[in-house]
């Protein structure tokens, strides 16, 4: 079945949720182990070998992260993850330039932590434009440019969306921002290590990176902050001035080493992973769609990262389908907001009908996903969608040729 046994001997579901998090690559664990045991020095201790060896490891990791995105290692600041990096980028730039610039632009489909950072800036008196996206999930570049104001300090647009996998036109956005001398930040948590990213080609000024989305450890990430033209940030965290004063606190050497190793492995495997994941995703979508009618793929078919597949199964409640597929770990949206019964705000933003939004499932295919796992998921999915539809009065009416939109429902 492709499922794995856990310690208790109980069957665990097979894992198809790599947008939420990824397993640690064994090569990453190997690189981290020495720094969890023998080499435990504080990388900021300057007076003995314990500190020096940790510092050397940390600087090597910084270089590995920089190499993956075409940056200089001095432009990489270690953080606890992309949420912190996003907060630093958005609040940091806004507050540093606030005497002259009070306007920020982002999109309605950003990750929660970007939207919430913008909301808290609005409470401080900044103005924020939340750009709508087109039906396919992509930003309209003309609308972006039209939103620029004389006091716009920052544009923040994610590279790959965590729910529907669409890939924004980052090159073009970078070019437009540079032309208008506005800083450009991208949340690249779902993109780096999976698609080629180069901060200079793409004219990116700030970029957020996460360890646990690229087969690295949880609890570590980085922010790229451009040196030329120089971006200035107001730090969120005060203290001993580590990380160029932008992020005080002792850098956790084992985690930093893990992030560096994950970036290096991703760079080596990127082409192979991408090809393999594309084939598996194609297999999943083709098989499901050939067996089940009325399935909609959310987000642009072309401009996307293939490992994130979001499908809506009409006339099926997404939650019921997830329950039925309990031996496959899937989700109906992002892990961060999955507790609320609201349909996903990302699907709402691309104009998905309320009922279709409730029937969507996200399939995550990653480096360690096997063909057997994809086939098992497909087979279970087809079986349960058919079963749930047979129980649905709506499905029956549609089969009888009734247009559901024409029905006047009454409240009893």
């Amino acid at each position: 079945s492709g499922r794995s046994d856990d310690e208790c001997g109980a069957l665990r579901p097979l894992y198809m949720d790599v947008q939420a998090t990824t397993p640690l690559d064994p090569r990453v664990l190997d690189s981290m182990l020495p720094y969890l045991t023998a080499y435990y020095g504080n990388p900021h201790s300057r007076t003995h070998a314990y500190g020096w060896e940790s510092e050397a490891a940390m600087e090597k990791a910084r270089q590995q992260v920089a190499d993956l995105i075409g940056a200089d290692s001095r432009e990489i600041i270690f953080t606890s993850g992309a949420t912190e990096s996003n907060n630093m980028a958005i609040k940091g730039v806004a507050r540093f330039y606030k005497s002259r610039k009070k306007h920020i632009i982002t999109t309605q489909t950003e990750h929660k932590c970007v939207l919430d950072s913008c909301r808290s800036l609005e409470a401080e008196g900044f103005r924020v434009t939340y750009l709508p996206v087109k039906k396919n999930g992509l930003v309209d570049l003309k609308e972006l440019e039209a939103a620029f104001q004389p006091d716009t300090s920052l544009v923040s647009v994610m590279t790959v969306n965590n729910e529907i996998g669409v890939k924004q036109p980052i090159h073009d956005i970078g070019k437009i921002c540079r032309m208008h001398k506005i800083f450009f930040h991208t949340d690249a948590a779902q993109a780096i290590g999976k698609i080629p990213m180069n901060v200079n080609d793409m004219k990116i000024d700030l970029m957020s990176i996460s360890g646990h989305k690229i087969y690295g450890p949880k609890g570590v990430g980085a922010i790229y902050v451009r040196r030329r033209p120089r971006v200035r940030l107001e730090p969120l965290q005060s203290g001993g001035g580590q990380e160029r004063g932008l992020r005080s606190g002792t850098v956790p050497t084992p985690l930093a080493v893990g992030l560096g190793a994950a970036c290096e492995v991703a760079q080596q495997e990127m082409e192979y992973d991408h090809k393999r994941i594309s084939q598996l995703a194609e297999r999943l979508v083709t098989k499901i769609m050939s067996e089940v009618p009325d399935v909609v793929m959310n987000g642009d078919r072309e401009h996307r990262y293939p490992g994130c597949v979001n499908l809506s199964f009409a006339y099926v409640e997404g939650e019921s389908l997830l329950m039925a597929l309990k031996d496959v770990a899937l989700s109906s949206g992002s892990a961060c907001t999955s507790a609320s019964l609201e349909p996903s705000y990302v699907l709402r933003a691309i104009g998905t009908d309320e009922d279709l939004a409730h029937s969507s499932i996200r399939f995550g295919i990653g480096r360690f996903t096997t063909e057997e796992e994809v086939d098992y998921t497909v087979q279970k999915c087809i079986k349960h969608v058919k079963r749930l539809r047979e129980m649905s009065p709506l499905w029956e009416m549609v089969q009888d040729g009734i247009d559901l939109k024409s029905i006047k429902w009454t409240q009893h």
Side-chain angles (χ1 to χ4, degrees), residues 280-291 301 378:
L280 289 177
E282 185 59 34
R283 184 179 180 102
L284 177 108
V285 174
T286 311
K287 284 190 160 191
I288 289 178
M289 287 191 167
S290 65
E291 287 284 327
R301 289 302 283 264
V378 165

Side-chain angles (χ1 to χ4, degrees), residues 114-328:
V114 167
L115 298 177
D116 277 1
S117 293
C118 290
R119 292 260 182 268
S120 72
L121 287 175
E122 285 181 294
E124 292 173 29
F126 291 89
R127 302 185 319 286
V128 181
T129 301
Y130 300 93
L131 288 176
V133 292
K134 297 182 284 193
K135 270 271 194 224
N136 61 2
L138 299 180
V139 168
D140 184 324
L141 295 170
K142 286 195 175 58
E143 274 187 43
L144 170 65
E145 210 161 356
F148 288 171
Q149 295 174 18
D151 68 340
T152 305
S153 60
L154 183 74
V155 168
S156 180
V157 179
M158 74 200 316
T159 307
V160 168
N161 185 276
N162 53 308
E163 287 194 33
I164 55 176
V166 296
K167 191 164 74 196
Q168 297 293 351
I170 297 298
H171 267 105
D172 303 332
I173 297 172
K175 208 155 67 189
I176 296 170
C177 290
R178 183 66 56 86
M179 221 164 64
H180 290 268
K181 294 193 165 52
I182 294 169
F183 290 132
F184 173 37
H185 165 252
T186 188
D187 170 359
Q190 297 283 351
I192 72 142
K194 300 183 173 82
I195 58 174
M197 298 283 296
N198 184 297
V199 290
N200 295 316
D201 296 349
M202 296 175 159
K203 300 188 171 32
I204 294 166
D205 299 305
L206 301 118
M207 179 196 275
S208 300
I209 292 168
S210 172
H212 76 109
K213 306 291 187 187
I214 55 169
Y215 312 93
K218 293 164 179 56
V220 67
I223 181 173
Y224 156 80
V225 182
R226 180 175 289 283
R227 284 168 70 85
R228 289 196 185 79
R230 187 165 181 213
V231 184
R232 307 288 300 273
L233 303 178
E234 191 177 289
L236 297 182
Q237 191 149 296
S238 327
Q242 294 91 341
E243 296 301 276
R244 311 194 162 264
L246 289 179
R247 208 280 188 181
S248 288
T250 301
V251 173
T253 312
L255 295 180
V257 165
L259 176 61
C263 286
E264 187 169 296
V265 170
Q267 201 168 357
Q268 294 160 0
E269 306 281 349
M270 194 183 304
E271 218 175 309
Y272 174 80
D273 279 351
H274 196 276
K275 209 172 124 183
R276 203 176 145 271
I277 287 168
S278 302
Q279 287 164 348
L280 289 177
E282 185 59 34
R283 184 179 180 102
L284 177 108
V285 174
T286 311
K287 284 190 160 191
I288 289 178
M289 287 191 167
S290 65
E291 287 284 327
V292 182
D294 298 305
V295 179
V296 179
M297 185 167 180
N298 296 305
D300 195 277
R301 289 302 283 264
E302 294 304 301
H303 304 279
R304 64 179 312 106
Y305 168 65
C308 180
V309 177
N310 191 308
L311 301 177
S312 290
F313 298 90
Y315 320 112
V316 171
E317 190 63 53
E319 297 300 319
S320 329
L321 186 51
L322 283 180
M323 295 303 289
L325 293 167
K326 59 183 175 297
D327 47 1
V328 183

Side-chain angles (χ1 to χ4, degrees), residues 328-340:
V328 183
L330 292 160
S331 77
S332 52
S334 96
C336 320
T337 50
S338 64
S340 77

Side-chain angles (χ1 to χ4, degrees), residues 100-111:
R100 291 175 295 131
K101 303 189 163 184
K102 301 284 282 188
H103 180 243
I104 288 161
I105 300 172
T106 187
T107 78
Q108 293 175 4
T109 52
E110 294 299 305
H111 191 275

Side-chain angles (χ1 to χ4, degrees), residues 43-44 46 54-79 209 221-225 227 241-247 249-253 255-261 263-264 267:
H44 314 290
R46 285 291 160 81
S54 289
E55 185 187 27
M58 174 180 83
E59 292 309 327
K60 178 189 173 193
R62 201 186 298 282
Q63 189 63 56
Q64 289 168 314
V65 176
D67 287 345
L68 180 60
I69 59 170
D72 180 306
S73 68
R74 291 171 299 179
E75 298 173 306
I76 303 297
I77 306 295
F78 288 116
T79 67
I209 292 168
I223 181 173
Y224 156 80
V225 182
R227 284 168 70 85
Q242 294 91 341
E243 296 301 276
R244 311 194 162 264
L246 289 179
R247 208 280 188 181
T250 301
V251 173
T253 312
L255 295 180
V257 165
L259 176 61
C263 286
E264 187 169 296
Q267 201 168 357

